[in-house]
Amino acid sequence: MSNLFSKIYPPSITINHQKLQQNSSTIRCCSNSNNDEHSSTEHNGWVLGSFPEKNLVQHQHGIIKPPRPKRIILVRHGESEGNVDESVYTRVADPKVGLTEKGVIEAEGCGRKMREMIEKNGGDDWKVYFYVSPYKRGIETLRNLAKSFERSRIAGVREEPRLREQDFGNFQDREQMKIEKAVRARYGRFFYRFPNGESAADVYDRITGFRETLRSDIDIGRFEPPGQQSPNMNLVIVSHGLTLRVFLMRWYKWTVEQFEGLHNMTNGGMIVMERGYGGRYCLSMHHTKEELQKFGMTDEMLIDQEWQKIAKPGELNYDCLITGPSYFTHFDDEDKIFEL
């Protein structure tokens, strides 16, 4: 991770208080020579040494809110050693399992496809900002897909532990894991908790916290300096198969049953949540109906995505089939009575 990060923040810079330079394309981090954590200096109308991204930009017509990023791109790590041989987990800790040679190639290919997609409809000022799982295969995937982006296109990166893989326990006994997975199939994939590990429901809880952090970052435009935010920013989340499915479940409020019908993304694959005509993030802006069905989405979920395509942030879909009529069994009988 240090190689990529050093390209963005040179080693000579000590990260302490953020000082904003109005004519700079980045937020430069430097130490406070007075060693006063609470001191601040005003320069050209901005407060230095505080949190400038929290100060919404003033305009003659009022306050300008930062533009929402154009896309949220979900990337599953490339093929790992554990994907090829599960016995690896008996001798290597899950966070230390890395990519295979094929996985490196998959990550590099994902980066090329991502850049091609962004350039095709991204505007001249587009950039990417990364959130990444701290697991070795996540970091290696990030480093290899990032080869497609020069320094000026990378707005930043944040290692995010809440994006880690589902915990299956510590060093895993291969034969015991077969038994546990068989029990999970009977119990239910979402609620079954592995001994000394997590259930998908546990992952849901921590992803809920990450989602709130992400929403806050989007609302204040944390990815670029105030007044310089572009609507062509792309957020890239590099994580794991189940974690990304849970993220989508939480974002779109899918049910447990709908989650259990979803399939993993391919290694090095990506799912794109693109800003729709009303400003909300929608899967069907980029993906075809056939692609989403292959992923495991039902007709009700696809109908909701069509609504997401035109809805505005904050609006509610009061006719949503996912959270409404599907829970009740008596409506059809009542309708028949009234028809009589």
Side-chain angles (χ1 to χ4, degrees):
M1 190 64 183
S2 57
N3 292 338
L4 175 62
F5 198 80
S6 63
K7 292 181 180 179
I8 303 170
Y9 298 113
S12 60
I13 293 178
T14 301
I15 298 178
N16 190 345
H17 296 291
Q18 293 182 330
K19 290 189 176 182
L20 177 63
Q21 296 188 2
Q22 185 172 2
N23 295 323
S24 173
S25 61
T26 61
I27 294 180
R28 301 185 183 276
C29 302
C30 51
S31 60
N32 188 331
S33 59
N34 297 325
N35 293 322
D36 182 1
E37 294 184 0
H38 302 288
S39 65
S40 62
T41 304
E42 186 170 327
H43 179 68
N44 292 337
W46 279 328
V47 177
L48 306 182
S50 61
F51 298 93
E53 64 270 22
K54 291 187 177 181
N55 302 322
L56 296 178
V57 176
Q58 294 282 348
H59 188 270
Q60 60 179 348
H61 300 298
I63 294 177
I64 301 177
K65 293 187 65 176
R68 290 163 67 84
K70 188 175 183 65
R71 301 179 187 87
I72 301 174
I73 305 170
L74 311 182
V75 175
R76 185 187 177 198
H77 63 79
E79 181 187 79
S80 73
E81 296 165 345
N83 293 139
V84 176
D85 179 11
E86 289 190 353
S87 68
V88 168
Y89 296 114
T90 65
R91 56 185 182 275
V92 180
D94 198 356
K96 296 181 180 179
V97 173
L99 297 182
T100 63
E101 290 184 9
K102 180 181 177 182
V104 170
I105 294 172
E106 290 172 336
E108 292 175 344
C110 179
R112 290 190 296 270
K113 291 178 183 178
M114 188 184 300
R115 174 150 193 162
E116 181 181 352
M117 174 190 67
I118 293 172
E119 287 186 327
K120 185 176 180 180
N121 185 24
D124 294 336
D125 61 345
W126 64 266
K127 289 187 178 183
V128 290
Y129 186 99
F130 297 101
Y131 295 88
V132 60
S133 162
Y135 279 27
K136 183 178 179 180
R137 53 191 180 274
I139 300 295
E140 289 180 343
T141 297
L142 169 66
R143 286 176 171 162
N144 285 285
L145 73 83
K147 292 177 182 178
S148 294
F149 303 97
E150 55 270 23
R151 185 186 307 181
S152 62
R153 294 295 187 181
I154 299 177
V157 59
R158 184 187 303 174
E159 182 177 290
E160 177 51 74
R162 289 172 292 184
L163 290 175
R164 68 186 184 275
E165 174 66 286
Q166 176 184 5
D167 291 333
F168 295 100
N170 298 315
F171 292 103
Q172 300 167 19
D173 182 291
R174 189 176 184 182
E175 295 305 316
Q176 185 61 36
M177 282 301 296
K178 290 181 180 179
I179 297 173
E180 298 294 343
K181 288 182 178 180
V183 175
R184 180 181 63 172
R186 298 203 315 270
Y187 191 89
R189 295 181 63 86
F190 187 76
F191 293 109
Y192 181 78
R193 179 179 289 118
F194 286 90
N196 301 313
E198 288 182 306
S199 65
D202 294 323
V203 179
Y204 184 98
D205 292 341
R206 58 175 158 90
I207 284 298
T208 294
F210 168 71
R211 177 180 179 270
E212 295 309 307
T213 298
L214 181 63
R215 288 185 61 181
S216 175
D217 287 351
I218 290 173
D219 287 343
I220 65 176
R222 191 181 291 277
F223 317 107
E224 293 181 290
Q228 299 180 28
Q229 293 104 338
S230 167
N232 296 311
M233 175 62 68
N234 297 269
L235 307 185
V236 183
I237 299 175
V238 182
S239 185
H240 308 262
L242 180 136
T243 307
L244 293 174
R245 281 182 284 141
V246 169
F247 175 86
L248 288 169
M249 175 192 183
R250 180 63 184 86
W251 189 281
Y252 292 115
K253 302 177 179 62
W254 292 339
T255 67
V256 170
E257 182 179 357
Q258 288 162 339
F259 165 81
E260 293 187 337
L262 298 177
H263 307 295
N264 251 348
M265 301 161 54
T266 59
N267 288 114
M270 62 181 180
I271 287 183
V272 181
M273 302 164 61
E274 187 165 321
R275 208 172 58 229
Y277 305 114
R280 295 175 73 102
Y281 293 105
C282 174
L283 297 174
S284 58
M285 287 295 295
H286 176 81
H287 297 282
T288 66
K289 177 181 178 180
E290 289 72 26
E291 287 175 331
L292 296 178
Q293 287 176 326
K294 186 176 181 180
F295 179 53
M297 293 177 60
T298 64
D299 290 341
E300 291 80 6
M301 297 161 78
L302 294 174
I303 291 171
D304 180 61
Q305 286 299 313
E306 290 303 308
W307 176 84
Q308 300 279 348
K309 187 183 292 187
I310 60 174
K312 297 178 181 179
E315 289 185 343
L316 297 176
N317 185 1
Y318 294 101
D319 297 320
C320 180
L321 296 175
I322 295 175
T323 58
S326 63
Y327 283 91
F328 307 104
T329 59
H330 63 285
F331 289 153
D332 289 342
D333 293 338
E334 287 186 350
D335 291 340
K336 290 177 181 178
I337 292 174
F338 285 114
E339 288 174 2
L340 293 175

